[in-house]
């Protein structure tokens, strides 16, 4: 199996409080890797450390290795903009930028200096269609993005992330604030997208994990307790904590 | 029977408690109304004798021959207010951005009470400082630099002192406003490949813009009404200032300097009341506009 990202002994602490402890795992290319675990175990933190958003946390300390295409992105001399453009982040809740729908989609492109109107128009249409939002918003691209419904906003955020042409999609419980139909749309989209992208999906929902996962990582209290194929992990968990989590004894 | 009396007692106690809170509230709303009504009534005398247009746009101020042109005062007030905002707004905005986005956490933790203390310094102290430092500085350094021989008592001195006074006031608001921009929004921008500065420019400031504008508005209304500190350094010469090195005579100074002196001239008395009314209305306008912006931003 080809690994897009491999993490070795990643430790992360905030104000000397360890949050991630010796995390080592591989994220296979063009697959959906699902990160499972109870609330507060460090899933979001792990996801954000992949595109170095954890740098923003005051009092943070990180050590270890995160290899992206064979290059360690945790050592200082990496260009953060490059790293981040390789990954599209879909947050737990949608945060549309304070501008209109069109500008939300083109933000990443405009930031990197691409201003050609026709090119941008085409991109907007392409990515909005990709997330099944085009028909709903094509007549109001100049409206503020905050006017959209939450489900629409989440799809907009996905389109916005895809528009910078990333190789990896980091999704942090992308359906947690959505209704069942919007959730289903996003899930289907992900299954479709995985042929082109490497997807890391954090979720609370066991059934969603079963539906989506090609590779599963189970975290508990900042540690990776177990990882493997869905078959291995769901049907034959080794660790007692995994077993009790999967049987629904805690969340 | 006893029970009924008890519930009735409770009911009345309730009414009593509610009513005195109501009275306090009404008094709070009532006093400004009485104030405005009083100002209007007292300035009626002047308004009956002179058309409002002439009062506002004439620059001839000679109360003894009963000519009341408010233009020099209005222009002075506007000059000083706008100039002080031009000085303080960029300083405040950049400081607030630095403190919230770049500085270490402990810096902000120390700066917060420091700013509060600065905001609480009595304005007369700023006035004294203006006389001791700013006025000589303008007279000896800044004036000659521009080839002018000036006393230093000027619009510029007033604006300087004012901007120092309103900086802590606006800075406190700006820090809170910028801090309220959700972290996730910045993360979204950064993860799309924006640099930190681009994120601040296009997302943080953009998101906080209504709040920023309204804090400037509140700062302006503060500046427009500030009396003592400005009065001490501005020169108080009744003439429309045509440059920042010239002395001016803002509205609050006019009232503070003259009220109670020539009450034997009823029109003069009335003119000062009109000055107060104009001051009140302008400050009210700034305030209402700023609050409206905040409200609009919050509901969005
Ligand atoms: N900015 C921060 N400052 C201090 N502690 C933090 C910060 N961010 C996260 N933590 C701590 O790190 C731990 C892991 O948080 P994280 O958000 O990664 O959990 P999570 O697994 O995503 O939980 P959830 O499923 O509830 O989203 C928590 O104990 C949290 O309190
Ligand atoms: Mg989380």
């Amino acid at each position: 199996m080809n690994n897009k990202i491999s993490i070795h002994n990643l430790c992360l602490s905030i104000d000397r409080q360890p949050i991630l402890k010796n995390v080592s795992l591989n994220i296979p290319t063009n697959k959906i890797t699902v990160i499972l675990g109870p609330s507060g175990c460090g899933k979001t933190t792990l996801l954000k450390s992949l595109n170095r958003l954890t740098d923003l946390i005051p009092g943070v300390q990180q050590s270890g290795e995160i290899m992206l295409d064979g290059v360690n992105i945790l050592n200082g001399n990496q260009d953060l903009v490059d790293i981040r453009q390789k990954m599209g982040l879909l947050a737990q809740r949608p945060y549309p930028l304070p501008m209109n729908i069109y500008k939300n989609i083109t933000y990443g492109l405009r930031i990197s200096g691409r201003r050609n109107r026709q090119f941008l128009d085409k991109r907007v249409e392409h990515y909005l269609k990709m997330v099944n939002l085009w028909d709903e918003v094509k007549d109001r691209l100049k409206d503020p993005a905050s006017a959209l419904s939450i489900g629409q906003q989440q799809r907009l955020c996905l389109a916005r992330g895809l528009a910078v042409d990333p190789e990896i999609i980091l999704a942090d419980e992308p359906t947690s604030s959505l209704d069942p139909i919007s959730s289903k749309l996003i899930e289907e989209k992900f299954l479709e997208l995985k042929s082109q992208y490497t997807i890391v999906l954090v979720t609370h929902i066991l059934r969603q994990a079963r539906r989506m996962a090609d590779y599963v990582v189970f975290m508990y209290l900042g540690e990776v307790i177990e990882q493997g194929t869905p078959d291995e992990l769901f049907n034959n968990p080794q660790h007692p904590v995994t077993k009790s989590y999967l049987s629904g004894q805690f969340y | 029977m006893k029970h009924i009396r008890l519930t009735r007692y409770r009911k009345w106690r309730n009414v009593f408690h509610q009513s005195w809170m109501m009275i306090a509230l009404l008094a709070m709303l009532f006093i400004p109304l009485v104030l405005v009504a009083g100002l209007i009534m007292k300035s009626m005398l002047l308004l009956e004798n002179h058309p409002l247009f002439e009062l506002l746009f004439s620059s001839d101020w000679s109360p003894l021959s009963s000519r009341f042109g408010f233009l020099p005062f209005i222009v002075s007030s506007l000059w000083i207010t706008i100039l002080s905002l031009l000085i303080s707004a960029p300083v405040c905005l950049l400081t607030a951005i630095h403190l919230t986005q770049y500085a270490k956490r402990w810096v902000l933790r120390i700066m917060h009470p420091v700013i509060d203390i600065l905001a609480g310094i009595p304005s007369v102290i700023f006035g004294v400082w203006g006389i001791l430092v700013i006025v000589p500085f303008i007279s000896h350094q800044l004036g000659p630099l521009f080839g002018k021989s000036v006393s230093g008592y000027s619009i510029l001195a007033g604006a300087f002192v004012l901007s120092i006074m309103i900086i802590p006031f606006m800075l406190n608001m700006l820090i809170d406003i910028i801090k309220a921009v959700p972290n996730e929004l910045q993360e979204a921008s950064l993860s799309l490949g924006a640099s930190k500065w681009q994120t601040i420019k296009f997302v943080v400031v953009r998101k906080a813009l209504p709040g920023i504008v309204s804090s400037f508005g509140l700062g302006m209304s503060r500046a427009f009404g500030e009396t003592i500190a400005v009065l001490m350094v501005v020169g108080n010469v009744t003439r429309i200032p045509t440059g920042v090195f010239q002395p001016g005579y803002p509205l609050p100074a006019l009232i503070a300097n003259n009220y109670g002196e020539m009450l034997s001239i009823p029109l003069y008395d009335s003119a000062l009341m009109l000055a107060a009314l104009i001051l009140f209305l302008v400050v009210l306008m700034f305030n209402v506009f700023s609050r409206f912006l905040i409200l609009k931003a919050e509901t969005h």
Side-chain angles (χ1 to χ4, degrees):
Chain A
M1 208 154 47
N2 205 344
N3 291 325
K4 186 75 183 168
I5 299 176
S6 49
I7 303 171
H8 304 295
N9 300 325
L10 176 67
C11 296
L12 184 146
S13 61
I14 299 173
D15 292 328
R16 310 209 181 287
Q17 176 88 15
I19 306 289
L20 297 178
K21 303 164 197 159
N22 254 321
V23 170
S24 295
L25 63 97
N26 292 322
I27 293 168
T29 314
N30 290 4
K31 295 274 189 302
I32 297 181
T33 301
V34 167
I35 301 178
L36 270 179
S39 181
C41 69
K43 304 182 295 293
T44 300
T45 310
L46 176 62
L47 205 64
K48 283 183 180 168
S49 69
L50 295 182
N51 70 351
R52 301 265 310 260
L53 280 179
T54 40
D55 289 18
L56 302 182
I57 303 171
V60 73
Q61 274 185 315
Q62 311 178 68
S63 65
E65 267 184 352
I66 300 176
M67 308 295 285
L68 169 65
D69 292 326
V71 181
N72 184 8
I73 59 168
L74 255 195
N75 68 22
N77 48 31
Q78 288 292 315
D79 183 20
L80 285 183
V81 169
D82 268 0
I83 296 170
R84 287 174 182 157
Q85 280 196 330
K86 280 192 182 170
M87 308 186 201
L89 177 76
L90 197 56
Q92 224 157 338
R93 267 185 294 150
Y95 280 92
L97 301 170
M99 45 192 84
N100 66 33
I101 296 172
Y102 184 92
K103 287 192 167 167
N104 257 275
I105 306 282
T106 55
Y107 182 78
L109 295 167
R110 286 181 293 124
I111 285 291
S112 56
R114 275 168 285 182
R115 294 240 153 73
N116 181 307
R117 189 75 203 197
Q118 279 173 329
F119 168 78
L120 293 180
D121 284 352
K122 244 185 253 158
R123 283 290 179 113
V124 168
E125 184 172 345
H126 177 237
Y127 287 106
L128 282 176
K129 278 183 172 159
M130 202 162 175
V131 299
N132 306 340
L133 195 58
W134 176 250
D135 291 328
E136 290 157 67
V137 302
K138 64 171 185 281
D139 300 321
R140 45 178 180 143
L141 293 174
K142 294 276 142 48
D143 282 8
S146 54
L148 297 173
S149 78
I150 301 288
Q152 289 172 327
Q153 286 182 17
Q154 192 64 313
R155 277 179 282 154
L156 178 79
C157 290
L158 179 58
R160 174 180 78 184
L162 294 178
V164 293
D165 213 8
E167 297 160 15
I168 302 161
I169 299 172
L170 308 174
D172 190 359
E173 303 184 44
T175 60
S176 63
S177 54
L178 301 185
D179 59 282
I181 294 174
S182 308
S183 304
K184 196 153 169 282
L185 270 172
I186 294 270
E187 277 188 24
E188 283 167 0
K189 209 76 251 172
F190 275 24
L191 291 171
E192 229 176 282
L193 289 173
K194 78 173 178 190
S195 58
Q196 302 164 52
Y197 302 90
T198 299
I199 298 175
V200 185
L201 172 72
V202 167
T203 184
H204 258 131
I205 311 165
L206 275 178
R207 273 189 290 165
Q208 185 175 54
R210 284 175 199 267
R211 282 196 295 267
M212 316 272 297
D214 298 308
Y215 193 71
V216 189
V217 178
F218 178 70
M219 290 182 70
Y220 184 66
L221 298 179
E223 284 178 272
V224 171
I225 300 258
E226 204 169 341
Q227 51 181 312
T229 63
D231 185 46
E232 287 166 357
L233 205 114
F234 290 129
N235 300 331
N236 191 17
Q238 300 299 311
H239 201 283
V241 180
T242 323
K243 277 181 196 159
S244 60
Y245 182 78
L246 291 177
S247 63
Q249 285 171 27
F250 64 92
Y251 296 99
Chain B
M1 194 58 209
K2 192 172 171 221
H3 177 72
I4 292 173
R5 213 185 302 148
L6 205 66
T7 47
R8 198 178 288 156
Y9 165 71
R10 278 202 202 112
K11 193 178 133 206
W12 278 110
R13 197 177 55 177
N14 237 336
V15 168
F16 174 74
H17 282 297
Q18 277 174 5
S19 61
W20 73 254
M21 280 186 255
M22 200 64 187
I23 289 168
L25 179 71
L26 283 179
M28 220 181 64
L29 294 174
F30 193 61
I31 290 169
L33 279 181
V34 171
L35 213 132
V36 175
L39 288 178
I40 292 176
M41 258 161 53
K42 289 228 172 180
S43 41
M44 262 347 254
L45 183 63
L46 184 69
L47 288 170
E48 277 162 6
N49 284 298
H50 300 265
L52 184 64
F53 184 84
E54 181 201 308
L55 292 173
L56 291 182
F57 294 102
S58 150
S59 56
D60 185 2
W61 179 265
S62 24
L64 294 180
S65 34
S66 131
R67 285 198 296 273
F68 298 96
F70 280 98
L71 198 61
F73 307 104
I74 296 173
V75 172
S76 290
S77 272
L78 288 178
W79 264 101
I80 294 175
T81 306
I82 292 169
L83 202 57
S84 70
L85 196 74
L86 286 182
I87 299 170
S88 56
V91 176
C92 277
L93 189 57
L94 291 177
T95 311
I97 288 176
H98 177 82
L99 284 176
T100 53
Q101 308 293 316
Y102 291 98
K104 292 257 186 317
R105 271 177 299 171
W106 61 265
V107 179
L108 185 59
R109 223 175 294 147
I110 293 175
M111 281 307 284
H112 236 308
V114 169
I115 296 167
D116 277 336
I117 290 168
L118 286 179
I121 294 177
S123 55
V124 67
I125 292 175
F126 284 101
V128 170
W129 173 78
I131 292 176
L132 292 177
V133 179
I134 296 297
V135 170
F137 173 73
I138 291 175
S139 167
H140 302 318
Q141 263 93 31
L142 215 53
L145 197 68
F146 288 88
K148 295 198 160 62
S149 140
V150 288
S151 73
Y153 289 92
S154 56
I155 297 282
L156 189 61
F160 254 130
V161 170
L162 255 189
S163 46
I164 301 294
M165 285 182 64
I166 59 174
I167 279 174
F169 177 69
M170 296 199 301
L171 193 53
N172 254 345
M173 284 188 285
L174 283 175
I175 287 175
D176 289 341
I177 287 164
I178 293 180
K179 267 210 312 212
V181 174
N183 257 332
E184 288 85 349
L185 210 53
Q186 303 188 40
E187 289 178 358
S189 166
L190 290 170
S191 68
L192 291 168
S195 67
K196 179 152 187 168
W197 178 239
Q198 286 171 323
T199 299
I200 290 170
K201 243 190 332 187
F202 298 131
V203 174
V204 178
V205 170
R206 179 70 197 69
K207 180 80 179 173
L209 200 60
I212 292 172
V213 172
S214 60
S215 76
F216 289 164
L218 292 177
M220 253 173 108
S221 75
R222 204 34 228 284
F224 200 85
E226 173 52 39
T227 311
I228 280 293
V230 180
L231 177 156
M232 289 165 78
V233 298
V234 81
N236 303 326
V237 174
T238 316
R239 199 178 51 206
I240 294 184
T242 52
V244 294
F245 288 111
Q246 289 190 6
Y249 206 158
L251 278 170
L254 170 73
I255 303 166
N257 276 340
N258 298 298
Y259 193 74
E261 265 183 21
M262 284 189 268
L263 294 185
S264 48
I265 310 170
L267 269 185
Y268 194 14
D269 181 41
S270 175
L272 292 181
M273 288 300 146
L274 183 63
L277 185 65
I278 295 172
L279 190 66
F280 188 95
L281 291 179
V282 171
V283 169
L284 192 72
M285 215 175 60
F286 282 147
N287 260 301
V288 168
F289 178 69
S290 309
R291 308 248 171 227
F292 171 74
L293 268 183
I294 293 182
L295 209 71
K296 230 180 92 181
E298 273 169 0
T299 50
H300 254 283

